[in-house]
């Protein structure tokens, strides 16, 4: 899969979300570098799984809609 490119604004927002999560859930202060490394890990090692699940979900949704087309046939 091609590399995921994020705008600076999106990446900053994601890093902020990671920092907030660690603060709220684990009571840990994470810096920008640690948060950025976690984000890079998710993108590199986990993003493909989320992407593939989205493809499967989209396929199922579209298949169900195509099947519904047969219900509107007129004889």
């Amino acid at each position: 899969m091609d590399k995921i490119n994020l705008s600076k604004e999106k990446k900053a927002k994601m890093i902020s979300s990671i920092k907030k999560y660690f603060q709220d859930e684990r009571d840990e202060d994470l810096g920008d570098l640690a948060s950025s490394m976690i984000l890079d890990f998710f993108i590199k090692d986990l993003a493909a799984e989320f992407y593939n699940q989205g493809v499967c979900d989209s396929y199922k949704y579209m298949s169900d809609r195509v099947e519904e087309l047969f219900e509107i046939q007129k004889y």
Side-chain angles (χ1 to χ4, degrees):
M1 180 163 38
D2 293 334
K3 186 177 181 331
I4 295 174
N5 293 312
L6 301 171
S7 68
K8 287 182 182 181
E9 294 80 17
K10 280 189 178 186
K11 188 168 184 175
K13 187 172 182 175
M14 290 177 164
I15 288 170
S16 178
S17 292
I18 291 169
K19 290 169 69 172
K20 181 174 177 1
Y21 172 82
F22 272 82
Q23 182 61 53
D24 293 347
E25 299 297 325
R26 301 178 48 95
D27 200 26
E28 294 181 45
D29 287 323
L30 240 56
D32 287 343
L33 178 60
S35 298
S36 180
M37 291 174 70
I38 290 170
L39 178 58
D40 290 343
F41 165 75
F42 283 134
I43 291 170
K44 181 180 173 232
D45 293 355
L46 304 178
E49 292 299 323
F50 293 106
Y51 175 84
N52 290 340
Q53 184 63 52
V55 169
C56 289
D57 292 346
S58 297
Y59 175 80
K60 180 173 179 351
Y61 177 82
M62 293 303 296
S63 294
D64 292 346
R65 300 299 80 78
V66 168
E67 285 297 318
E68 289 174 1
L69 282 174
F70 292 116
E71 295 173 11
I72 64 171
Q73 288 181 336
K74 297 184 186 222
Y75 295 99

